[in-house]
Amino acid sequence: MPEQDPGPHAGARGGPLSDSDSRFGSFFDDPLWALAMVRATLLEAAHPAIGAALVENSTFLAHPWRRLRNTFLSTKRMVGADAATREREAARLNRLHARMNGTDHKNRPYDAMDPGARAWVVATLFESSVSMFRLSGQPLEQQFMEDLYAEFHGMLATMGDTPGELPPTLAQFWPYFDRMVAEELENTEAMRVILYQLFAHLPAPPLLSSVPALWATGRALVAPVVGVVAVASLPEPFRRRAGLPEFPGAHTLMQGAYLAIGLTRFLPAGWVDPENAMNLLSMVPDAESDDPRARTAAALNAKMKQAAAMIRLLSPLSDRTDPGTRAAPQGASAHRQEADEFFRQVLDQTGNGSLDWPDLAAMARELASRLDLDEPEETRLYAAFADWWRELQAALDTDGDGSISAQEYAAGTPSLAGPALIRVAEVLFDVTDKDGSGHIDAAEYRVLFRTAFHRDTSGTAGTTYTRSAFVKEFLAFMSGRQRTTPFDPLLAEA
């Protein structure tokens, strides 16, 4: 993709995002970046078009940890030193965004390729990066901000956007940002979901899934604080216009949070590594994995289970029935419970309570991202999922409202494994079988199931995963008949 003129400051650093000492890239090891990302995401979600695209297409509510990891990795690629990697990731993002369009609840059209909306995403990242230093008591020097702004212009150029939506100079940026805050942003549904649902109902990461009570207790204590800090960090004119709550001492709490996290900069190098922390949180514990980290996580998970059991044993309420030991439902009740669980954890990827095309598109997106597909393989995979969606609509959408409810799904589960789903499995096999050998070897299998590698194939010469076995397992999972496959953490874990 040819680069376009990113603005007058790009030449000061040899071109957009071309140096290994990227200003923006240096933020990834800064713990304050977590707070900056929350702030930037809220400002993005407050944009009507971006907010509508998030609500309709994003998996951030149902699968926040997966979404966080994918966003983190994508951003690192976009600010890396290798131009080919940047352009390849930009092309992937453009294909992804081109598939996101529709109308919001006010019947206003939105398009994820809208240049103004894309410029606002970059603007929020830049402004929040500057603000995270200002709020932590270490404001950036003017020249650093100039260089940083040039890099963000370079990011838009790499994405192929024409100049003009984002002001060319830093001096012109601040009036633009103030105008957007004062005139364009709204108290959108997406922003409310992030503030009042995401943090309050954040599911446990796979590593802590065995101690739900401990996670729920910690979340109940931390989520309100995160929400207060996030709101207090937003621009005051927007907080007032959007009617966001003002809590006594919120500003002091917010500055204290930024200052406290900012002190971690003085820890020894390597002590705070966001990528390692992200990998640890998203890793699925597996005692039989050939990955030593997964085995270590499994051992830690087992110890936490033992500790939780001991706490329940010593608790004064331990004579009450443990919810985890209650008799499992039988017959039709058991089938309905399993169907509801599968619908919620796997099919409803966006978490809106129904099965729609964006849910299946999210599955295709996750699979394509893991396999790092290019055209035309990515398009083949999306097309196969689109055919499956049409088949599902014809078989399960009994009321004709354009979506499939949990009740419609439970009543028609035998219809899930039709010819179109078989085609999805076959296409997924083909794009996973990178060398075209007709079977999936250990290395290819690992690429697809890197956080759920339950088969230890690395030490077995000649181990293969045949097309028929792959298709059979995929169909058993996607029709809800078998939940002990590698696909479970791939598509069901948060």
Side-chain angles (χ1 to χ4, degrees), residues 22-37 39 124-142 144-145 148 152 174 233 254-255 257-266:
S22 161
R23 299 292 192 263
F24 184 38
S26 68
F27 293 165
F28 281 95
D29 291 327
D30 195 320
L32 280 172
W33 181 238
L35 291 177
M37 282 294 291
R39 184 179 188 276
T124 63
L125 286 171
F126 169 74
E127 195 276 342
S128 293
S129 300
V130 172
S131 293
M132 79 178 186
F133 284 95
R134 176 176 55 82
L135 294 173
S136 66
Q138 295 180 318
L140 297 176
E141 295 181 356
Q142 183 66 24
F144 190 104
M145 283 194 291
L148 183 63
F152 279 94
W174 299 115
S233 70
M254 179 266 295
Q255 285 203 312
Y258 273 88
L259 288 171
I261 295 178
L263 291 176
T264 59
R265 294 187 183 125
F266 301 103

Side-chain angles (χ1 to χ4, degrees), residues 8-95:
H9 295 292
R13 304 197 66 249
L17 300 173
S18 61
D19 296 341
S20 59
D21 62 339
S22 161
R23 299 292 192 263
F24 184 38
S26 68
F27 293 165
F28 281 95
D29 291 327
D30 195 320
L32 280 172
W33 181 238
L35 291 177
M37 282 294 291
V38 172
R39 184 179 188 276
T41 301
L42 286 171
L43 289 171
E44 292 169 20
H47 188 287
I50 300 172
L54 282 173
V55 167
E56 295 292 332
N57 299 276
S58 179
T59 62
F60 74 92
L61 184 59
H63 300 279
W65 298 107
R66 191 177 75 194
R67 168 66 191 273
L68 177 63
R69 174 180 170 78
N70 290 346
T71 300
F72 180 83
L73 292 177
S74 176
T75 309
K76 284 205 73 171
R77 292 170 184 164
M78 285 299 298
V79 301
D82 183 66
T85 299
R86 292 196 307 271
E87 292 185 1
R88 190 166 185 270
E89 181 64 14
R92 187 188 72 85
L93 291 174
N94 283 336
R95 294 195 302 270

Side-chain angles (χ1 to χ4, degrees), residues 176-263:
Y176 154 80
F177 183 84
D178 292 341
R179 180 188 63 79
M180 290 290 295
V181 168
E183 299 177 7
E184 300 294 332
L185 302 192
E186 299 177 1
N187 188 348
T188 64
E189 180 185 356
M191 191 186 72
R192 294 192 298 272
V193 166
I194 295 171
L195 280 175
Y196 305 123
Q197 294 185 40
L198 178 59
F199 296 131
H201 301 283
L202 187 69
L207 181 64
L208 301 177
S209 59
S210 64
V211 285
L214 179 62
W215 174 260
T217 300
R219 181 182 61 194
L221 295 174
V222 174
V225 177
V226 174
V228 170
V229 169
V231 170
S233 70
L234 296 175
E236 194 275 335
F238 175 65
R239 295 201 313 268
R240 183 175 62 249
R241 190 163 57 86
L244 296 175
E246 298 275 356
F247 294 100
H251 191 72
T252 301
L253 178 64
M254 179 266 295
Q255 285 203 312
Y258 273 88
L259 288 171
I261 295 178
L263 291 176

Side-chain angles (χ1 to χ4, degrees), residues 118-397:
R118 284 156 66 94
W120 179 244
V121 171
V122 172
T124 63
L125 286 171
F126 169 74
E127 195 276 342
S128 293
S129 300
V130 172
S131 293
M132 79 178 186
F133 284 95
R134 176 176 55 82
L135 294 173
S136 66
Q138 295 180 318
L140 297 176
E141 295 181 356
Q142 183 66 24
Q143 187 57 52
F144 190 104
M145 283 194 291
E146 296 278 357
D147 292 344
L148 183 63
Y149 191 65
E151 288 187 1
F152 279 94
H153 254 295
M155 184 182 294
L156 273 180
T158 302
M159 295 289 287
D161 288 32
T162 56
E165 293 295 337
L166 197 65
T169 68
L170 181 61
Q172 293 171 313
F173 170 81
W174 299 115
Y176 154 80
F177 183 84
D178 292 341
R179 180 188 63 79
M180 290 290 295
V181 168
E183 299 177 7
E184 300 294 332
L185 302 192
E186 299 177 1
N187 188 348
T188 64
E189 180 185 356
M191 191 186 72
R192 294 192 298 272
V193 166
I194 295 171
L195 280 175
Y196 305 123
Q197 294 185 40
L198 178 59
F199 296 131
H201 301 283
L202 187 69
L207 181 64
L208 301 177
S209 59
S210 64
V211 285
L214 179 62
W215 174 260
T217 300
R219 181 182 61 194
L221 295 174
V222 174
V225 177
V226 174
V228 170
V229 169
V231 170
S233 70
L234 296 175
E236 194 275 335
F238 175 65
R239 295 201 313 268
R240 183 175 62 249
R241 190 163 57 86
L244 296 175
E246 298 275 356
F247 294 100
H251 191 72
T252 301
L253 178 64
M254 179 266 295
Q255 285 203 312
Y258 273 88
L259 288 171
I261 295 178
L263 291 176
T264 59
R265 294 187 183 125
F266 301 103
L267 292 173
W271 279 34
V272 180
D273 189 326
E275 187 165 4
N276 286 340
M278 196 94 55
N279 289 334
L280 180 63
L281 287 173
S282 61
M283 176 163 296
V284 177
D286 183 2
E288 299 180 359
S289 172
D290 60 344
D291 188 334
R293 298 173 301 173
R295 294 197 299 270
T296 301
L300 178 60
N301 206 274
K303 293 295 185 183
M304 288 190 292
K305 284 183 178 179
Q306 292 174 1
M310 181 64 70
I311 291 173
R312 289 196 300 270
L313 182 63
L314 299 177
S315 169
L317 301 178
S318 60
D319 58 329
R320 298 185 179 180
T321 302
D322 187 338
T325 62
R326 292 172 183 166
Q330 302 295 321
S333 177
H335 171 73
R336 178 56 184 270
Q337 180 174 318
E338 291 172 1
D340 286 346
E341 181 179 319
F342 182 77
F343 186 91
R344 176 176 52 82
Q345 293 184 354
V346 178
L347 297 179
D348 184 14
Q349 290 281 308
T350 59
N352 67 350
S354 64
L355 175 60
D356 311 278
W357 163 241
D359 296 306
L360 271 63
M363 295 182 199
R365 185 165 65 243
E366 176 62 19
L367 294 169
S369 297
R370 281 174 173 266
L371 295 169
D372 201 18
L373 299 182
D374 284 326
E375 292 279 20
E377 288 83 2
E378 183 185 273
T379 298
R380 285 183 63 204
L381 188 62
Y382 271 91
F385 271 95
D387 289 341
W388 186 39
W389 168 239
R390 286 188 285 270
E391 183 178 83
L392 287 175
Q393 274 191 303
L396 301 181
D397 183 16

